[in-house]
Amino acid sequence: MAQWTSAVGPAQLARQLQAQQARPSVPGVRKPPAYRALADGIRLLVLEGRVPVAARLPAERELAVALTVSRTTVAAAYEALRSEGFLESRRGAGSWTAVPAGNPLPARGLEPLPPESLGSMIDLGCAALPAPEPWLTRGIQGALEELPPYAHTHGDYPAGLPALRQMLADRYTERGIPTMPEQIMVTTGAMGAIDAICHLFAGRGERIAVESPSYANILQLMREAGARLVPVAMAEGLDGWDLGRWRQVLRDAAPRLAYVVADFHNPTGALADEDQRRQLVEAARSAGTVLVVDETMTELFLDDVTMPRRVCAFDPAGATVLTVGSASKAFWAGMRIGWVRAAPDVIRSLVAARAYADLGTPVLEQLGVNWLMRTGGWEEAVGLRRAQARENRDALVTAVRRELPDWEFEVPKGGLTLWVRTGGLSGSRLAEVGERVGVRVPSGPRFGVDGAFEGYVRLPFTVGGPVADEAAARLAAAARLVEAGAGAGVEAPRSFVA
C-alpha cells in the first residue's frame, strides 16, 4: 500500500522551485552543485508547508524534463533528501515527502507560536495583537450579567443571537447602507464565514478569483475546499486593484466567486478607492460572479485618512456583494466572532447549510461583542488598538530601514501588515534561517499561488520599541546568512525578554 496521501505534479513543483531560485547570485560565494540546490529547494517547500508531508513527488524523469536538468541531477537530489529524512521511497510506490524524526510538522497556514516558545523567539508570523484591556474583561463581565435568560434556552442560534444581528444591522444602516437583521449571519470568526460561503457557492473544482498576493490562510482554506484559484495581480505599491486585469479575469475565467480585501489589504496594506470599488462591483455583477469582500481591517485606519464607502454600499441588497466582518483584527483574535452581510435568501441558505457544520457561534462571546458595541466600549477598544498598531508600525518601519536599507516597502495608512521586497533574497530561505536566529517571519510565497512572491516577506505591526529593534537586527542577521549561502546549524537565542 502506498504511503503517500496526495501528489505534486512536475509542472507545479517546477514552478515553485523556479520561483524560489529567481534571485541574484552573491559575488564571491560559490553556487552549490545543481543537485544540492534542488534538494534544498524541495526541503524548503516541505518545511514551509507549501508541499505537504506525504505528498508523492514526480518521477525523476518527469521532474528532469520539467526543470530542463539531467535525470542524474534529480536522482542525486532525491537521494540527498532520503539521507536527510525528507523523502521516503519504495519500489513500485514512488517517492513521497517526509520530515525527519523530532522535527515538527510544518504549518500550512500562519498559526501563532505556542506561548512557551515566546521567550526565545520573536513571532512576526501572526498579525494579531494582545487584547485591548480593560475592555476584554469588561465585555466578558457584561456578557455574564446578560447570560441567565439565554441559559434557559437550548443555546443553538444558527444565524446568531437576535440582539447581535440587530446591532450589526444597525451599524451598517448608520453608515448609509440600510440593513435588516435578516441580512446578517453571525459566524465563528471571518474564517468560518468564508468557509461557509465557499461551501455554498463554490463546489470542488469551481474557480475563485483572488488578489495576488492575498491572505495566506484564506488561500489555503480555498485550496482545501478544492477550489481552482485564479490570481489577479494587484496594482503596484499601495494603488489597490488593477481594474483592467479584474475585468479580463471576470470575463474570461468566469469565476463563481471572487475574494478581495478592499480596506488595508492583507498583506500589502493597500486601500481601494471609491471608484475602484464601484467598478469592481459593476464588473462582478456583469460577469455573474459573487464578490466576497473581507472587511476585517476596515476599522484599523492608523493615519488621518478619509475612508471610502464600504463596497456593499454599491450593492445594498447584497445580491452580488457578500460582506465578511470580524472582531478578531479590530478587537482581539481570541474573540472568535465574525459575520456575513448578504441578501436575506443568501443568509437563509448559509444558515441551512450550517446545520451540518458547527450549528452556531458561542453565545457568551456574542453577548460580549454586543455589550461592547451597545455601550461604546467597542469604539474605545478599537481606539486603543489603532494607537498600539500605529506605534508598532512606526517603530518597525524605522528599525527595518536602519538595519536593512536595501529592503523596499511603502508604509500603509492602516491595517496590520507591511509587505516588504527583500532586495533579491529568497523569502523562503529568510524564513527558514530566521527561525534559527530567533525571529519567525512568513515568506512571500505563502501569500501567492504556485510559488509567486519569492522575493518578499510580510512583517506585521505586532511588536514595537526595543522588540522591533531586535526583530530587525535578527532579520538582518538572517539576511547576511542567506547572502553568504550559510545558515545550517545556526541556533536561536536561548531567551528573549520583551
Side-chain angles (χ1 to χ4, degrees), residues 8 47 98 106 146 151 158-159 269 286-287 301 316 340 377 400 437 462-463 466 480 495:
V8 181
L47 287 172
E146 298 177 3
S286 297
F301 49 88
V340 180
V400 173
V437 300
T462 52
V463 297
R480 288 191 293 271
S495 63

Side-chain angles (χ1 to χ4, degrees), residues 128-133 300-302 329-332 380-396 415-416 460-465 468:
L129 290 163
E133 289 287 28
L300 291 177
F301 49 88
L302 307 183
K329 296 299 186 186
F331 186 77
W332 183 48
E380 293 279 351
V382 172
L384 289 174
R385 170 67 77 242
R386 290 191 197 108
Q388 186 179 13
R390 183 185 307 113
E391 182 178 328
N392 288 354
R393 178 198 63 183
D394 295 347
L396 187 65
L416 289 172
F461 310 146
T462 52
V463 297

Side-chain angles (χ1 to χ4, degrees), residues 158-159 182-187 192-202 257 290 292 318 322-324 339-360:
E182 292 80 8
Q183 291 179 263
I184 301 291
M185 181 177 85
V186 180
T187 62
I194 294 170
D195 182 59
I197 290 168
C198 288
H199 279 88
L200 181 63
F201 284 93
L257 289 179
V290 175
V292 182
L322 309 188
T323 302
V324 173
W339 54 87
V340 180
R341 181 198 179 275
D345 63 317
V346 173
I347 294 297
R348 286 193 295 271
S349 297
L350 288 169
V351 170
R354 189 178 194 179
Y356 306 99
D358 64 355
L359 293 178

Side-chain angles (χ1 to χ4, degrees), residues 99-249:
V99 292
N103 279 39
L105 286 175
R108 300 299 300 276
L110 301 177
E111 293 83 358
L113 283 172
E116 61 268 21
S117 301
L118 295 177
S120 60
M121 185 74 69
I122 300 176
D123 186 8
L124 298 181
C126 186
L129 290 163
E133 289 287 28
W135 292 106
L136 173 62
T137 298
R138 291 181 184 177
I140 296 301
Q141 289 171 340
L144 287 170
E145 293 173 1
E146 298 177 3
L147 181 61
Y150 295 93
H152 293 293
T153 73
H154 49 62
D156 287 336
Y157 296 88
L161 293 184
L164 182 54
R165 296 177 75 195
Q166 182 69 62
M167 175 62 68
L168 293 168
D170 290 346
R171 288 172 69 85
Y172 280 105
T173 301
E174 289 166 6
R175 287 161 176 76
I177 308 161
T179 304
M180 304 178 293
E182 292 80 8
Q183 291 179 263
I184 301 291
M185 181 177 85
V186 180
T187 62
T188 307
M191 292 287 288
I194 294 170
D195 182 59
I197 290 168
C198 288
H199 279 88
L200 181 63
F201 284 93
R204 186 165 292 276
E206 290 275 8
R207 293 184 180 92
I208 301 179
V210 295
E211 297 153 325
S212 184
S214 187
Y215 178 36
N217 285 340
I218 293 296
L219 294 180
Q220 190 57 35
L221 181 155
M222 292 173 175
R223 290 188 189 102
E224 297 288 347
R228 297 164 61 190
L229 301 184
V230 183
V232 186
M234 297 284 288
E236 285 297 314
L238 298 177
D239 291 340
W241 300 320
D242 184 325
L243 268 300
R245 288 173 173 166
W246 269 105
R247 290 192 194 93
Q248 181 179 356
V249 166

Side-chain angles (χ1 to χ4, degrees), residues 14 25 33 39 46 78 81 108 129 148 153 156 188 227 264 274 314 329 336-337 363 386 425 441 455 498:
S25 58
V46 173
Y78 278 14
L81 290 168
R108 300 299 300 276
L129 290 163
T153 73
D156 287 336
T188 307
F264 310 119
E274 195 157 298
F314 303 101
K329 296 299 186 186
R336 304 304 304 159
I337 299 295
V363 170
R386 290 191 197 108
L425 299 179
V441 59

Side-chain angles (χ1 to χ4, degrees), residues 402-474:
R402 180 182 64 248
E403 299 287 344
L404 293 150
D406 293 337
W407 287 19
E408 302 173 39
F409 54 85
E410 292 190 41
V411 182
K413 296 182 181 297
L416 289 172
T417 57
L418 198 66
W419 185 236
V420 181
R421 185 181 284 115
T422 56
L425 299 179
S426 162
S428 297
R429 295 175 189 275
L430 282 166
E432 182 197 21
V433 176
E435 293 223 17
R436 298 179 182 179
V437 300
V439 59
R440 181 175 183 257
V441 59
S443 67
R446 287 183 176 271
F447 304 88
V449 177
D450 282 343
F453 307 110
E454 185 59 54
Y456 289 81
V457 293
R458 189 195 73 173
L459 305 180
F461 310 146
T462 52
V463 297
V467 187
D469 292 337
E470 180 65 17
R474 293 185 186 186

